[in-house]
Amino acid sequence: MTKHLRSCSKRLVSFLTILSLLVFSASAFASAKVKIKVPEYISANALTISVHKTFPTSSSITESGIGAGGSWFSTANTVTKEPDGSWLFDTAGTYCYYVRGTNYYSLVKLFNITETQVNGNETIELTAATGPIGAHGYEPGNPYLNNAPSNYASELLDLRDKILAAWPDDLMDAIYSKDGLRGYKDFTTPTFTKQKARHEFTSQEDMMEFVQSIVNSSQKAHLFELGKTPNYNMVMPLVIVTKSSIPAGATLADAAKILRGSGKPTFWHQAQIHPNEPASGEGALAMLQEMVGSYGDPLLDNVNYVCVPRINPDGSYLFTRVTYGGFDMNRDHMRLQAKELEYLHGAFTLIMPEVCADGHEFTFWNANADGYVTNADDIESTPASSLNNPKEVNDFAMNEMAVKLHQDLGGSGLRSYHYGYTVNNPIGRAYYGLFGSISFLVETRGIGAGKHNFPRRVFAQVTAMKSLAEQTAQNASRIREMVANARKEIISKGRNYDEEDKLILRHRSGGETAYALQRPTYNMDGTLRTNPDPVKDTMNYGVRQPGDERTRPTAYIVAKDANSDNFNLGLALNIVKAQGAEFYEIAQGSAASVRQYYWTGNAGSNSVTADLRAETSVTFANGAYVFPLDQVAGPVLSMLFEPDVYDSNGYNGTLVQSGIVKRDGVDADHNYPIYRFEKSNPREHLRDINAQNTGGGGSGGGCDAGFGIYALVTAALLAGLLYKRVRK
């Protein structure tokens, strides 16, 4: 009996051991199976699909790591395809597939696999999220586009658009859908209503047809042609929406004069200077539609609205960040290499808006290697904040308008954050601030996304513009008076020399915003990862250091016979004209007590350090050009002529940075051919040889209203370029 029990016990132990091994084996080989289906309208042979154990974290997704360890695309990180065409995963996590094919959108798509799916040996069916390229332009990732520059595919296409990226569906549904948006309604602008390819956006024809329909439907809307692009001959439209009467046949100069005399502030809304940021342009069309309808009607009692929905039509066809010629126009507001910016600046300096908003998008992709989204901002915004701007305007924009803007965005269900501050003068937001305008940057999440999340992106653009337009209307009298006084202050500072009045050449970080914003992070399944306390953003304010500032002169002077090797004078004069700034000539043999700039060293990537010679009398044998600062464009002139403005380091901000002005290399003095005048009332000391009278006046210094002061110069410059469009 005991022997029998012993035998049974051994058999039982053996059975349990085998059973445990079987259970362990089943657990060890548990795996989820992923199948990726090709849509029925696509031939399976047209696409190549690979699946990867990790995913790209750079927003510029490339295949550069093929065959190498470490890269998401490397052989080591590529999942082997099973004989049945599936891929097996024995570990939960976030993975990606990469789909591509000739004439199809290339896309990296993330997907999640859960422990439950692995342990349950579940089969997960995905559909390849791509489609055929439209081949009409106005879309990302088409290197075969017709009528494109020879360097289009190799240099002009933004890397972020060559291979699109998409988050897991769980994450998209949780934080990037339309759900939870308050006040959302479906859009009826062309991208949403026209038949398009999967990632194709509003074409030039679509835009012009839509804008014309708006103008035809409303007596308040007036369409102007700023000019035509230099390569594809596309129209740059500008639309004015106002309750002021603008007669048929009026030029833009005529209309601008009516706006300036309306007693209302003007809200200037521009978009798509970067064409691969399409929600900005679509948002402008949607906002224009709102302003001519029931939403805009009460606002127009107190505000005028000006919309430039697409600054870069050529680049929009190419879907690049830059122009056909490769210029980033939002780094070109000082140098003006692009013809399109000359048109834009001509219109701006005619209208002289009190409030400006510049629509953009920032990078869509920000995956962290640890498997979460580093931030989930729908929209980011900050106003211009240079200390060269009038303080009252800066304070109002930062402490009141920006606060209300972020409140309105949050109240609409959007996640908003600080964009970060720039005092880089060639950038639009900073540039407009130099004129005393309240100037805002509005950025939504979108570069490299294609149409993913597009309704939410456009909604965010429109919500921000509505907040700024409403605030302009609600504070109409205050804003108009504030900006007018700020511009008078600019003129006064430019006329009256004051040793304590400093131009800031280099801002350094310090100080904080008046408001704090929260920035949660999310896991790849859409669940909240962290929800840190709200933070205030650091501004470019702070304690100056030697060389960071210089006393403001009252005029810059350049000899007419300046050495052409050191000064491309003709080009400089054209830039100043296009900036809407005034200059004049003094007679041959004129003498003036001036100080000259000289080079002391190099700084940054294309900047210099400089100093001033002692004051001395200089006789200009062949006459000279005088650039007086008693005009609203005075700060722009200073940021051009001062040689050592480090704030625009890396870009063509100053005449020196642009290579238009060079130091004298003949002797060891390293002089620049620029002089500055340091006495009050420069027009009285430096007489304009063409002036009918002395002591100011003209289009620059004698305008008490403080706005529209260069209408005479700019209107003459743009004569024949700006036409009133036929209504119907």
Side-chain angles (χ1 to χ4, degrees), residues 557-559 562 566-567 596-597 661-663 671-675:
I557 306 172
V558 176
N566 292 6
F567 201 142
Q596 187 172 17
Y597 294 90
V661 171
K662 300 176 182 177
R663 59 189 165 99
N671 290 327
Y672 288 111
I674 301 174
Y675 300 90

Side-chain angles (χ1 to χ4, degrees), residues 54-249:
T54 184
F55 47 82
T57 55
S58 169
S59 59
S60 299
I61 301 172
T62 69
E63 299 178 2
S64 60
I66 188 167
S71 166
W72 71 276
F73 195 68
S74 67
T75 302
N77 281 325
T78 299
V79 181
T80 302
K81 193 173 186 178
E82 298 297 313
D84 67 353
S86 67
W87 292 265
L88 299 180
F89 297 87
D90 59 9
T91 305
T94 300
Y95 303 91
C96 77
Y97 68 80
Y98 172 34
V99 57
R100 63 271 193 201
T102 302
N103 295 321
Y104 288 85
Y105 297 109
S106 296
L107 175 85
V108 168
K109 170 68 174 176
L110 273 61
F111 60 91
N112 295 317
I113 293 179
T114 66
E115 291 281 358
T116 300
Q117 290 170 326
V118 171
N119 294 334
N121 295 298
E122 294 184 20
T123 297
I124 303 163
E125 293 191 351
L126 306 174
T127 300
T130 188
I133 287 171
H136 309 120
Y138 308 98
E139 63 183 342
N142 181 7
Y144 316 107
L145 188 62
N146 291 327
N147 197 24
S150 58
N151 63 341
Y152 173 62
S154 60
E155 297 179 28
L156 298 189
L157 274 180
D158 194 319
L159 275 177
R160 293 170 292 182
D161 294 314
K162 287 187 175 182
I163 301 177
L164 303 179
W167 300 109
D169 290 341
D170 314 16
L171 181 67
M172 290 294 291
D173 292 343
I175 67 172
Y176 288 129
S177 72
K178 297 180 290 185
D179 296 344
L181 295 179
R182 290 178 281 280
Y184 177 86
K185 61 181 181 180
D186 289 336
F187 294 102
T188 58
T189 50
T191 294
F192 296 97
T193 59
K194 298 275 187 176
Q195 187 171 353
K196 301 281 183 185
R198 190 181 186 99
H199 295 290
E200 183 182 357
F201 296 93
T202 295
S203 70
Q204 178 74 7
E205 294 76 14
D206 293 336
M207 179 187 68
M208 293 305 299
E209 177 187 343
F210 183 84
V211 168
Q212 190 68 59
S213 71
I214 291 288
V215 173
N216 290 345
S217 69
S218 173
Q219 295 296 315
K220 295 174 290 192
H222 309 271
L223 174 61
F224 296 87
E225 178 183 313
L226 293 183
K228 291 185 177 176
T229 59
N231 294 285
Y232 297 130
N233 203 36
M234 293 178 177
V235 170
M236 275 183 66
L238 177 147
V239 183
I240 293 174
V241 184
T242 181
K243 287 189 175 180
S244 297
S245 177
I246 297 178

Side-chain angles (χ1 to χ4, degrees), residues 400-481:
E400 296 188 44
M401 289 192 75
V403 173
K404 183 65 164 64
L405 169 63
H406 286 288
Q407 289 173 348
D408 290 344
L409 292 168
S412 297
L414 295 162
R415 295 174 296 274
S416 71
Y417 202 68
H418 318 273
Y419 183 78
Y421 293 86
T422 184
V423 288
N424 198 328
N425 300 304
I427 294 177
R429 167 186 36 155
Y431 172 80
Y432 292 137
L434 294 175
F435 286 90
S437 294
I438 298 167
S439 179
F440 273 85
L441 173 71
V442 173
E443 296 251 5
T444 48
R445 180 181 296 279
I447 300 176
K451 279 187 185 173
H452 294 118
N453 192 32
F454 199 57
R456 190 178 181 102
R457 288 153 56 191
V458 175
F459 176 75
Q461 286 278 339
V462 174
T463 302
M465 297 304 171
K466 282 184 173 181
S467 174
L468 295 173
E470 289 166 14
Q471 291 189 67
T472 304
Q474 291 161 3
N475 297 281
S477 297
R478 181 183 175 193
I479 287 175
R480 187 167 170 83
E481 181 179 2

